[in-house]
Amino acid sequence: MTAVRVPGTPVIEDGRLVSTSPATGAEAGRLPVATAADVEAAVARARAAAAWWAGLGFNGRRERLLRWRALLAKRIEELAELVHVEGGKPVADAIVEVVTAVEHVDWAARNARRVLGPRRVRSRLVLAEFSAHLEYQPFGVVGVIGPWNYPVFTPIGSTAYALAAGNTVVFKPSEYTPAVGQWLVDTFAEVVGEQPVLSAVHGFGDVGAALCRSGVDKVAFTGSTATAKRVMAACAESLTPVLIEAGGKDAMIVDTDADLDAAANAAVWGGLTNAGQTCIGIERVYVVEPVFDAFVDKVVQRAGRLTVGADGTDIGPITMPSQLDVIRRHIDDAVARGGRAVLGGPDAVQPPYVHPTVLVDVPEDSAAVREETFGPTLTINPVRDADEAVARANALPYGLGGSVFGRRRAVAVAARLRSGMASVNSALTFAGMSTLPFGGVGESGFGRIHGEDGLREFAHAKAVTRRRARSLLPAMTFDRTEADVARLVKVVKMMYGR
Ligand code: NDP
């Protein structure tokens, strides 16, 4: 039976998941849907492959991951085109996404040994007769569950780091972008064909739920906060550790001494790139009063020039058709409650597109300020000073990223944002800095991908002590005498009792 297709909405036909372009409805991918038994079998195969992959050591994995990186770089146009066709993202945005992912594969491959490899750590006087050794060992099999909005960058942020750390990965791509997910798996198999080190299972949310219950050793989830709670509940049943990269409602703060052109440029790009469907996208801007009007003018001028459409434009379609209702509701609610649309507005929603919309003086308790909009919209509200801006930015349960524009106080203001990341005088740039960890606080999740923390996220510490001399003060043995204990008391008072 053939289901009725709404462009962009995935359907299952004859046991196959069919993804389509949200702009044209053209078929983009057709992948077999996994049953719970298929998911378990994929995890069993990944478990068998894990010993081989871990056994290659850091150097063997580095060499293979760097070959994958080279392949991704060489075929960047092909991958960007697939991202464009399947999710609607403008090709230029897709290219930027792949470039960032390639950089992360490179860094994870090159740095895993240094960060995770065996090393001696210092002994302390109290156990000086032992040497101390530390290494970070892989968990085994990691389940990666990904979203559709950055179908390359986001899963690679977990996958590259998990693989570099010595794990194998079973990946459940979003139902909206299964072809991109399978492309990543297939290209990895071109360079690592011996064993199923990276595999994919396709389907709707139930396949993700099956992955959580499949006995994987860790789940790396990226997606909405609501689904994250379900993932955690499923993982709790087997005490499977989870990494949660969830939603956000990031704010930009513009201080009096900011370069307003640069700030407007970053607000428009940070808020509207990928049609605003960005977890770390700028959705709210707080501008100190003296520069508010000038800033809004510059934003409106820039955002008003952006082109909207299927091909060769700045802003593509909304990938997930159901999101159009959320965006419409946020705009309507903001305007109904006294906000002003200085660009776009309720008429901006023209499925499958949303035209750039800038809303000012929007009540702080409205949906457009409090909930993730995930559309090409910005709210801009005036504040007395940077302190009020910080208080408003921090007033939500989310805490993913953020941005601050200014000179004298900007770094200090960025430190006060309740968020896992911040950019000073730019927007979103922390995502591409492979040396920095990526992740949020509060309802934006916990755990980190990228950087040294991102590598450690996919390995557990293994601590070993090794005797190197006889104990002068035997304590951890029943052979100790009363005199030994008395000497111990004396030493501890001498060392720590002052
Ligand atoms: P969803 O939470 O809807 O889906 C995320 C993934 O989880 C999909 O693969 C989905 O499968 C799967 N899933 C759905 N139900 C379950 C379940 N019960 N158990 C296990 N897995 C399940 O998010 P979206 O795909 O809509 O992505 C958008 C969200 O992701 C936004 O909130 C955005 O902010 C966030 N995000 C966060 C990032 C970060 O790094 N913090 C980066 C990118 C996005 P299916 O699609 O088949 O339903």
Side-chain angles (χ1 to χ4, degrees), residues 10 17 145-150 153-154 171-177 203-213 221-228 230-231 234 244-248 277-280 320 323 372 374 398 400 421 438-440 444-445 449:
L17 177 64
I145 301 177
W148 47 266
N149 61 339
Y150 286 85
F153 166 78
T154 295
F171 169 35
K172 153 70 176 76
S174 165
E175 70 208 37
Y176 290 87
T177 51
F204 290 100
D206 57 306
V207 177
L211 188 57
C212 296
R213 295 195 166 90
F221 171 82
T222 309
S224 64
T225 304
T227 309
R230 288 199 286 277
V231 165
I244 300 290
E245 298 287 355
Q277 305 165 109
T278 305
C279 56
I280 50 169
M320 196 166 64
Q323 193 67 23
E372 202 173 33
F374 244 47
Y398 288 124
L400 196 51
M421 303 161 289
F438 183 103
S444 293
I449 55 173

Short mmCIF file of all heavy atoms in Angstrom, two decimals, residues 10 17 145-150 153-154 171-177 203-213 221-228 230-231 234 244-248 277-280 320 323 372 374 398 400 421 438-440 444-445 449, ligand 1:
data_model
loop_
_atom_site.label_atom_id
_atom_site.label_comp_id
_atom_site.label_asym_id
_atom_site.label_seq_id
_atom_site.Cartn_x
_atom_site.Cartn_y
_atom_site.Cartn_z
N PRO A 10 8.30 11.97 6.30
CA PRO A 10 8.69 10.60 5.95
C PRO A 10 7.53 9.62 6.11
O PRO A 10 6.67 9.82 6.96
CB PRO A 10 9.80 10.28 6.95
CG PRO A 10 9.64 11.25 8.06
CD PRO A 10 8.93 12.43 7.54
N LEU A 17 11.57 3.01 4.86
CA LEU A 17 11.38 4.39 5.28
C LEU A 17 11.72 5.28 4.09
O LEU A 17 12.84 5.22 3.57
CB LEU A 17 12.30 4.70 6.46
CG LEU A 17 12.30 6.13 7.00
CD1 LEU A 17 10.94 6.50 7.58
CD2 LEU A 17 13.39 6.27 8.08
N ILE A 145 21.82 8.59 18.66
CA ILE A 145 20.51 8.97 18.13
C ILE A 145 20.59 10.43 17.70
O ILE A 145 20.96 11.28 18.51
CB ILE A 145 19.41 8.78 19.21
CG1 ILE A 145 19.37 7.32 19.66
CG2 ILE A 145 18.05 9.22 18.65
CD1 ILE A 145 18.37 7.05 20.78
N GLY A 146 20.27 10.69 16.44
CA GLY A 146 20.52 12.04 15.91
C GLY A 146 19.26 12.75 15.44
O GLY A 146 18.26 12.12 15.13
N PRO A 147 19.35 14.08 15.35
CA PRO A 147 18.23 14.88 14.83
C PRO A 147 18.43 15.14 13.33
O PRO A 147 19.42 14.74 12.74
CB PRO A 147 18.36 16.17 15.61
CG PRO A 147 19.84 16.35 15.73
CD PRO A 147 20.45 14.96 15.78
N TRP A 148 17.50 15.87 12.74
CA TRP A 148 17.51 16.10 11.30
C TRP A 148 18.13 17.45 10.94
O TRP A 148 18.48 17.69 9.79
CB TRP A 148 16.08 16.08 10.75
CG TRP A 148 15.13 16.92 11.60
CD1 TRP A 148 14.35 16.45 12.61
CD2 TRP A 148 14.95 18.33 11.57
NE1 TRP A 148 13.68 17.50 13.21
CE2 TRP A 148 14.03 18.66 12.58
CE3 TRP A 148 15.46 19.35 10.76
CZ2 TRP A 148 13.62 19.96 12.84
CZ3 TRP A 148 15.05 20.66 11.02
CH2 TRP A 148 14.14 20.95 12.04
N ASN A 149 18.24 18.36 11.92
CA ASN A 149 18.56 19.75 11.53
C ASN A 149 20.02 19.94 11.11
O ASN A 149 20.32 20.76 10.26
CB ASN A 149 18.15 20.74 12.62
CG ASN A 149 18.86 20.49 13.93
OD1 ASN A 149 19.36 19.40 14.20
ND2 ASN A 149 18.90 21.51 14.77
N TYR A 150 20.93 19.16 11.72
CA TYR A 150 22.32 19.11 11.26
C TYR A 150 22.68 17.63 11.15
O TYR A 150 23.35 17.08 12.02
CB TYR A 150 23.24 19.87 12.24
CG TYR A 150 23.06 21.36 12.09
CD1 TYR A 150 22.04 22.03 12.76
CD2 TYR A 150 23.86 22.09 11.21
CE1 TYR A 150 21.83 23.39 12.58
CE2 TYR A 150 23.66 23.45 11.03
CZ TYR A 150 22.65 24.09 11.72
OH TYR A 150 22.44 25.43 11.52
N PHE A 153 26.81 17.17 10.96
CA PHE A 153 27.60 17.73 12.08
C PHE A 153 27.23 17.09 13.41
O PHE A 153 28.10 16.73 14.20
CB PHE A 153 27.33 19.25 12.12
CG PHE A 153 27.78 19.92 13.39
CD1 PHE A 153 29.11 20.21 13.59
CD2 PHE A 153 26.86 20.24 14.38
CE1 PHE A 153 29.53 20.83 14.76
CE2 PHE A 153 27.26 20.86 15.55
CZ PHE A 153 28.61 21.15 15.74
N THR A 154 25.92 16.94 13.66
CA THR A 154 25.50 16.49 14.98
C THR A 154 25.86 15.02 15.25
O THR A 154 26.52 14.74 16.25
CB THR A 154 23.99 16.75 15.15
OG1 THR A 154 23.81 18.16 15.13
CG2 THR A 154 23.48 16.22 16.46
N PHE A 171 24.00 3.68 14.89
CA PHE A 171 23.47 5.03 14.71
C PHE A 171 22.03 4.97 14.23
O PHE A 171 21.72 4.31 13.25
CB PHE A 171 24.39 5.74 13.70
CG PHE A 171 23.89 7.06 13.18
CD1 PHE A 171 23.16 7.94 13.97
CD2 PHE A 171 24.20 7.45 11.87
CE1 PHE A 171 22.72 9.16 13.48
CE2 PHE A 171 23.76 8.66 11.37
CZ PHE A 171 23.02 9.51 12.17
N LYS A 172 21.15 5.69 14.93
CA LYS A 172 19.76 5.83 14.49
C LYS A 172 19.60 7.28 14.01
O LYS A 172 19.47 8.20 14.81
CB LYS A 172 18.83 5.53 15.68
CG LYS A 172 17.47 6.22 15.64
CD LYS A 172 16.55 5.69 14.58
CE LYS A 172 15.19 6.36 14.67
NZ LYS A 172 15.18 7.74 14.13
N PRO A 173 19.62 7.48 12.67
CA PRO A 173 19.41 8.84 12.17
C PRO A 173 17.96 9.25 12.36
O PRO A 173 17.07 8.40 12.53
CB PRO A 173 19.73 8.73 10.68
CG PRO A 173 20.29 7.36 10.45
CD PRO A 173 19.80 6.50 11.59
N SER A 174 17.70 10.55 12.28
CA SER A 174 16.31 11.02 12.32
C SER A 174 15.55 10.43 11.14
O SER A 174 16.10 10.22 10.06
CB SER A 174 16.29 12.54 12.24
OG SER A 174 14.99 12.98 11.92
N GLU A 175 14.27 10.22 11.35
CA GLU A 175 13.44 9.68 10.25
C GLU A 175 13.36 10.66 9.07
O GLU A 175 13.02 10.27 7.96
CB GLU A 175 12.03 9.39 10.78
CG GLU A 175 11.24 10.65 11.11
CD GLU A 175 10.21 10.43 12.21
OE1 GLU A 175 10.48 9.67 13.14
OE2 GLU A 175 9.13 11.04 12.11
N TYR A 176 13.69 11.94 9.33
CA TYR A 176 13.65 12.95 8.26
C TYR A 176 14.91 12.92 7.39
O TYR A 176 14.89 13.45 6.28
CB TYR A 176 13.46 14.36 8.84
CG TYR A 176 12.08 14.56 9.41
CD1 TYR A 176 11.79 14.22 10.73
CD2 TYR A 176 11.05 15.07 8.63
CE1 TYR A 176 10.52 14.36 11.25
CE2 TYR A 176 9.77 15.23 9.14
CZ TYR A 176 9.52 14.86 10.46
OH TYR A 176 8.25 15.02 10.96
N THR A 177 15.99 12.35 7.93
CA THR A 177 17.26 12.39 7.19
C THR A 177 17.97 11.03 7.20
O THR A 177 19.17 10.97 7.46
CB THR A 177 18.19 13.46 7.80
OG1 THR A 177 18.27 13.25 9.22
CG2 THR A 177 17.70 14.86 7.52
N GLY A 203 14.20 4.10 11.06
CA GLY A 203 12.79 4.00 11.41
C GLY A 203 12.36 5.22 12.20
O GLY A 203 13.05 6.25 12.23
N PHE A 204 11.20 5.11 12.82
CA PHE A 204 10.65 6.21 13.62
C PHE A 204 11.20 6.14 15.05
O PHE A 204 12.13 5.40 15.33
CB PHE A 204 9.13 6.14 13.59
CG PHE A 204 8.54 6.49 12.25
CD1 PHE A 204 8.13 5.52 11.36
CD2 PHE A 204 8.42 7.82 11.87
CE1 PHE A 204 7.61 5.85 10.11
CE2 PHE A 204 7.89 8.17 10.62
CZ PHE A 204 7.49 7.19 9.74
N GLY A 205 10.55 6.86 15.94
CA GLY A 205 11.03 6.96 17.32
C GLY A 205 11.13 5.61 18.02
O GLY A 205 11.97 5.43 18.90
N ASP A 206 10.26 4.66 17.64
CA ASP A 206 10.31 3.35 18.31
C ASP A 206 11.63 2.64 18.07
O ASP A 206 12.09 1.86 18.90
CB ASP A 206 9.13 2.47 17.83
CG ASP A 206 9.15 2.28 16.33
OD1 ASP A 206 9.18 3.30 15.62
OD2 ASP A 206 9.15 1.12 15.88
N VAL A 207 12.28 2.95 16.94
CA VAL A 207 13.59 2.33 16.67
C VAL A 207 14.64 2.94 17.61
O VAL A 207 15.51 2.23 18.15
CB VAL A 207 13.98 2.50 15.19
CG1 VAL A 207 15.37 1.95 14.91
CG2 VAL A 207 12.96 1.81 14.30
N GLY A 208 14.53 4.24 17.84
CA GLY A 208 15.41 4.88 18.82
C GLY A 208 15.19 4.30 20.20
O GLY A 208 16.14 4.02 20.94
N ALA A 209 13.91 4.09 20.54
CA ALA A 209 13.59 3.52 21.85
C ALA A 209 14.16 2.11 21.97
O ALA A 209 14.71 1.74 23.03
CB ALA A 209 12.08 3.51 22.05
N ALA A 210 14.09 1.34 20.88
CA ALA A 210 14.64 -0.02 20.90
C ALA A 210 16.16 0.02 21.10
O ALA A 210 16.73 -0.82 21.81
CB ALA A 210 14.29 -0.75 19.61
N LEU A 211 16.79 1.02 20.49
CA LEU A 211 18.25 1.16 20.65
C LEU A 211 18.62 1.42 22.11
O LEU A 211 19.59 0.89 22.63
CB LEU A 211 18.77 2.27 19.73
CG LEU A 211 20.29 2.43 19.61
CD1 LEU A 211 20.97 1.16 19.14
CD2 LEU A 211 20.63 3.58 18.66
N CYS A 212 17.79 2.25 22.78
CA CYS A 212 18.04 2.54 24.20
C CYS A 212 17.95 1.26 25.06
O CYS A 212 18.60 1.16 26.09
CB CYS A 212 17.02 3.54 24.74
SG CYS A 212 17.12 5.15 23.98
N ARG A 213 17.13 0.31 24.62
CA ARG A 213 16.90 -0.90 25.42
C ARG A 213 17.68 -2.10 24.89
O ARG A 213 17.45 -3.23 25.31
CB ARG A 213 15.41 -1.25 25.42
CG ARG A 213 14.55 -0.21 26.11
CD ARG A 213 13.16 -0.73 26.41
NE ARG A 213 12.48 0.16 27.35
CZ ARG A 213 11.74 1.20 26.97
NH1 ARG A 213 11.57 1.48 25.70
NH2 ARG A 213 11.17 1.97 27.91
N PHE A 221 22.47 10.96 22.82
CA PHE A 221 21.22 11.45 22.22
C PHE A 221 21.32 12.92 21.89
O PHE A 221 21.74 13.73 22.73
CB PHE A 221 20.05 11.23 23.21
CG PHE A 221 18.78 11.90 22.74
CD1 PHE A 221 17.96 11.28 21.81
CD2 PHE A 221 18.43 13.17 23.20
CE1 PHE A 221 16.81 11.91 21.34
CE2 PHE A 221 17.28 13.80 22.74
CZ PHE A 221 16.46 13.16 21.81
N THR A 222 20.93 13.28 20.69
CA THR A 222 20.75 14.69 20.33
C THR A 222 19.35 14.85 19.78
O THR A 222 18.96 14.14 18.85
CB THR A 222 21.77 15.14 19.26
OG1 THR A 222 23.08 14.77 19.69
CG2 THR A 222 21.72 16.64 19.06
N GLY A 223 18.58 15.74 20.35
CA GLY A 223 17.21 15.96 19.91
C GLY A 223 16.50 16.84 20.91
O GLY A 223 17.14 17.58 21.68
N SER A 224 15.19 16.78 20.91
CA SER A 224 14.42 17.70 21.75
C SER A 224 14.46 17.29 23.22
O SER A 224 14.71 16.13 23.55
CB SER A 224 12.97 17.74 21.27
OG SER A 224 12.39 16.46 21.46
N THR A 225 14.20 18.23 24.08
CA THR A 225 14.21 17.97 25.53
C THR A 225 13.13 16.95 25.89
O THR A 225 13.35 16.08 26.75
CB THR A 225 13.99 19.30 26.28
OG1 THR A 225 15.01 20.22 25.85
CG2 THR A 225 14.07 19.12 27.79
N ALA A 226 11.98 17.04 25.22
CA ALA A 226 10.88 16.10 25.54
C ALA A 226 11.31 14.66 25.24
O ALA A 226 11.11 13.76 26.07
CB ALA A 226 9.64 16.46 24.72
N THR A 227 11.92 14.44 24.07
CA THR A 227 12.38 13.08 23.74
C THR A 227 13.53 12.66 24.66
O THR A 227 13.62 11.49 25.05
CB THR A 227 12.82 12.99 22.26
OG1 THR A 227 11.77 13.53 21.45
CG2 THR A 227 13.07 11.56 21.84
N ALA A 228 14.39 13.61 25.02
CA ALA A 228 15.52 13.30 25.91
C ALA A 228 15.03 12.67 27.21
O ALA A 228 15.64 11.74 27.74
CB ALA A 228 16.32 14.57 26.19
N ARG A 230 12.36 10.87 27.62
CA ARG A 230 11.96 9.48 27.34
C ARG A 230 13.19 8.59 27.18
O ARG A 230 13.21 7.44 27.64
CB ARG A 230 11.09 9.43 26.09
CG ARG A 230 9.69 10.01 26.30
CD ARG A 230 8.72 9.55 25.23
NE ARG A 230 8.95 10.21 23.96
CZ ARG A 230 8.48 11.41 23.64
NH1 ARG A 230 7.74 12.09 24.51
NH2 ARG A 230 8.72 11.95 22.47
N VAL A 231 14.22 9.12 26.53
CA VAL A 231 15.45 8.36 26.35
C VAL A 231 16.08 8.04 27.70
O VAL A 231 16.49 6.91 27.97
CB VAL A 231 16.44 9.15 25.44
CG1 VAL A 231 17.85 8.60 25.52
CG2 VAL A 231 15.94 9.14 24.00
N ALA A 234 14.14 5.32 29.50
CA ALA A 234 14.40 3.98 28.95
C ALA A 234 15.78 3.49 29.38
O ALA A 234 15.95 2.32 29.76
CB ALA A 234 14.30 4.01 27.42
N ILE A 244 23.19 13.79 26.85
CA ILE A 244 22.00 14.47 26.33
C ILE A 244 22.39 15.83 25.75
O ILE A 244 22.87 16.71 26.46
CB ILE A 244 20.95 14.69 27.46
CG1 ILE A 244 20.48 13.36 28.06
CG2 ILE A 244 19.76 15.52 26.94
CD1 ILE A 244 19.62 12.50 27.17
N GLU A 245 22.19 15.97 24.44
CA GLU A 245 22.34 17.26 23.75
C GLU A 245 20.94 17.66 23.31
O GLU A 245 20.44 17.15 22.31
CB GLU A 245 23.26 17.12 22.53
CG GLU A 245 24.68 16.70 22.83
CD GLU A 245 25.52 17.77 23.45
OE1 GLU A 245 25.03 18.92 23.58
OE2 GLU A 245 26.66 17.48 23.82
N ALA A 246 20.28 18.51 24.08
CA ALA A 246 18.87 18.81 23.83
C ALA A 246 18.69 20.24 23.30
O ALA A 246 19.63 20.86 22.83
CB ALA A 246 18.06 18.55 25.08
N GLY A 247 17.49 20.73 23.40
CA GLY A 247 17.13 21.99 22.76
C GLY A 247 17.72 23.22 23.44
O GLY A 247 18.40 23.13 24.46
N GLY A 248 17.42 24.37 22.86
CA GLY A 248 17.93 25.61 23.42
C GLY A 248 17.05 26.79 23.03
O GLY A 248 16.10 26.66 22.25
N GLN A 277 16.66 26.71 12.11
CA GLN A 277 16.49 25.38 12.70
C GLN A 277 17.82 24.91 13.28
O GLN A 277 18.42 23.94 12.82
CB GLN A 277 15.98 24.41 11.62
CG GLN A 277 14.70 24.91 10.95
CD GLN A 277 14.40 24.16 9.67
OE1 GLN A 277 13.47 23.37 9.62
NE2 GLN A 277 15.19 24.35 8.63
N THR A 278 18.27 25.64 14.28
CA THR A 278 19.60 25.40 14.84
C THR A 278 19.48 25.35 16.36
O THR A 278 18.94 26.29 16.97
CB THR A 278 20.56 26.54 14.42
OG1 THR A 278 20.55 26.64 13.00
CG2 THR A 278 21.97 26.31 14.92
N CYS A 279 19.99 24.27 16.98
CA CYS A 279 19.84 24.16 18.44
C CYS A 279 20.50 25.34 19.14
O CYS A 279 20.00 25.84 20.13
CB CYS A 279 20.39 22.83 18.94
SG CYS A 279 22.11 22.55 18.47
N ILE A 280 21.67 25.78 18.59
CA ILE A 280 22.39 26.90 19.21
C ILE A 280 22.07 28.21 18.48
O ILE A 280 22.82 29.18 18.59
CB ILE A 280 23.92 26.64 19.21
CG1 ILE A 280 24.38 26.23 17.80
CG2 ILE A 280 24.31 25.62 20.27
CD1 ILE A 280 25.88 26.21 17.62
N MET A 320 10.73 20.11 8.80
CA MET A 320 9.70 19.26 9.40
C MET A 320 8.36 20.01 9.26
O MET A 320 8.14 21.03 9.94
CB MET A 320 10.05 19.07 10.88
CG MET A 320 9.34 17.94 11.56
SD MET A 320 10.11 17.56 13.15
CE MET A 320 9.85 19.05 14.07
N GLN A 323 6.50 21.73 12.06
CA GLN A 323 7.10 22.86 12.78
C GLN A 323 6.49 24.19 12.33
O GLN A 323 6.52 25.19 13.06
CB GLN A 323 8.61 22.86 12.55
CG GLN A 323 9.41 23.78 13.47
CD GLN A 323 9.37 23.32 14.92
OE1 GLN A 323 9.13 22.16 15.20
NE2 GLN A 323 9.57 24.25 15.84
N GLU A 372 11.32 27.04 22.18
CA GLU A 372 12.15 26.91 20.99
C GLU A 372 11.26 27.12 19.75
O GLU A 372 10.30 26.38 19.56
CB GLU A 372 12.77 25.51 20.98
CG GLU A 372 14.01 25.40 20.15
CD GLU A 372 14.69 24.05 20.29
OE1 GLU A 372 14.00 23.03 20.49
OE2 GLU A 372 15.92 24.00 20.19
N PHE A 374 12.50 27.52 16.36
CA PHE A 374 13.07 26.74 15.26
C PHE A 374 12.59 27.24 13.90
O PHE A 374 12.27 26.46 13.00
CB PHE A 374 12.73 25.25 15.44
CG PHE A 374 13.97 24.41 15.66
CD1 PHE A 374 14.93 24.81 16.58
CD2 PHE A 374 14.19 23.23 14.95
CE1 PHE A 374 16.08 24.05 16.79
CE2 PHE A 374 15.34 22.47 15.15
CZ PHE A 374 16.28 22.89 16.06
N TYR A 398 16.30 26.39 29.66
CA TYR A 398 17.35 25.99 28.73
C TYR A 398 18.67 26.68 29.09
O TYR A 398 18.67 27.76 29.67
CB TYR A 398 16.99 26.44 27.31
CG TYR A 398 15.89 25.66 26.65
CD1 TYR A 398 14.76 26.31 26.16
CD2 TYR A 398 16.00 24.29 26.45
CE1 TYR A 398 13.76 25.61 25.51
CE2 TYR A 398 15.00 23.58 25.80
CZ TYR A 398 13.88 24.24 25.34
OH TYR A 398 12.90 23.55 24.70
N LEU A 400 21.93 26.40 26.63
CA LEU A 400 22.84 25.77 25.66
C LEU A 400 24.01 26.71 25.32
O LEU A 400 25.10 26.54 25.85
CB LEU A 400 22.04 25.38 24.41
CG LEU A 400 22.69 24.38 23.45
CD1 LEU A 400 23.20 23.14 24.16
CD2 LEU A 400 21.70 23.98 22.36
N MET A 421 28.07 27.19 26.61
CA MET A 421 28.96 27.78 25.61
C MET A 421 28.57 29.24 25.36
O MET A 421 27.42 29.61 25.60
CB MET A 421 28.83 27.02 24.27
CG MET A 421 29.11 25.55 24.41
SD MET A 421 28.45 24.55 23.06
CE MET A 421 26.70 24.58 23.32
N PHE A 438 31.37 20.89 23.72
CA PHE A 438 30.08 21.37 23.25
C PHE A 438 28.98 20.68 24.06
O PHE A 438 28.95 19.45 24.16
CB PHE A 438 29.92 21.01 21.77
CG PHE A 438 28.66 21.51 21.11
CD1 PHE A 438 28.68 22.60 20.28
CD2 PHE A 438 27.44 20.87 21.33
CE1 PHE A 438 27.52 23.06 19.65
CE2 PHE A 438 26.28 21.32 20.71
CZ PHE A 438 26.33 22.42 19.87
N GLY A 439 28.09 21.47 24.65
CA GLY A 439 26.99 20.88 25.41
C GLY A 439 26.35 21.93 26.30
O GLY A 439 26.84 23.06 26.39
N GLY A 440 25.25 21.57 26.93
CA GLY A 440 24.49 22.56 27.68
C GLY A 440 24.31 22.23 29.14
O GLY A 440 24.89 21.26 29.67
N SER A 444 18.83 21.92 28.52
CA SER A 444 19.59 21.70 27.28
C SER A 444 20.45 20.46 27.36
O SER A 444 21.07 20.08 26.37
CB SER A 444 20.45 22.92 26.96
OG SER A 444 19.63 24.02 26.65
N GLY A 445 20.49 19.82 28.52
CA GLY A 445 21.17 18.53 28.61
C GLY A 445 22.42 18.55 29.46
O GLY A 445 22.69 19.49 30.20
N ILE A 449 30.17 16.75 23.91
CA ILE A 449 30.87 16.25 22.74
C ILE A 449 31.97 17.27 22.43
O ILE A 449 32.01 18.33 23.05
CB ILE A 449 29.92 16.04 21.53
CG1 ILE A 449 29.15 17.33 21.19
CG2 ILE A 449 28.94 14.91 21.81
CD1 ILE A 449 28.32 17.24 19.90
P1 NDP B 1 13.43 14.69 18.37
O1 NDP B 1 13.62 14.69 19.83
O2 NDP B 1 12.05 14.68 17.83
O3 NDP B 1 14.16 13.43 17.69
C1 NDP B 1 15.55 13.18 17.92
C2 NDP B 1 15.85 11.72 17.61
O4 NDP B 1 15.25 10.88 18.62
C3 NDP B 1 15.27 11.24 16.28
O5 NDP B 1 16.17 10.35 15.68
C4 NDP B 1 13.99 10.55 16.73
O6 NDP B 1 13.56 9.61 15.81
C5 NDP B 1 14.46 9.87 18.00
N1 NDP B 1 13.38 9.47 18.90
C6 NDP B 1 12.08 9.87 18.91
N2 NDP B 1 11.41 9.28 19.93
C7 NDP B 1 12.30 8.50 20.58
C8 NDP B 1 12.23 7.63 21.73
N3 NDP B 1 11.11 7.48 22.43
N4 NDP B 1 13.35 7.00 22.12
C9 NDP B 1 14.51 7.16 21.45
N5 NDP B 1 14.65 7.96 20.35
C10 NDP B 1 13.56 8.62 19.92
O7 NDP B 1 14.24 15.95 17.84
P2 NDP B 1 14.35 16.50 16.35
O8 NDP B 1 14.86 15.43 15.44
O9 NDP B 1 13.07 17.21 16.02
O10 NDP B 1 15.53 17.57 16.48
C11 NDP B 1 15.32 18.89 16.86
C12 NDP B 1 15.73 19.10 18.31
O11 NDP B 1 17.08 18.71 18.47
C13 NDP B 1 15.64 20.54 18.73
O12 NDP B 1 15.09 20.63 20.01
C14 NDP B 1 17.12 20.96 18.76
O13 NDP B 1 17.37 22.04 19.62
C15 NDP B 1 17.77 19.71 19.21
N6 NDP B 1 19.18 19.71 18.84
C16 NDP B 1 20.11 19.81 19.84
C17 NDP B 1 21.45 19.87 19.51
C18 NDP B 1 22.48 19.93 20.58
O14 NDP B 1 23.62 19.65 20.28
N7 NDP B 1 22.15 20.30 21.81
C19 NDP B 1 21.90 19.85 18.11
C20 NDP B 1 20.85 19.71 17.16
C21 NDP B 1 19.53 19.66 17.54
P3 NDP B 1 12.46 10.05 14.72
O15 NDP B 1 13.01 11.24 14.03
O16 NDP B 1 12.40 8.86 13.87
O17 NDP B 1 11.21 10.35 15.51
#
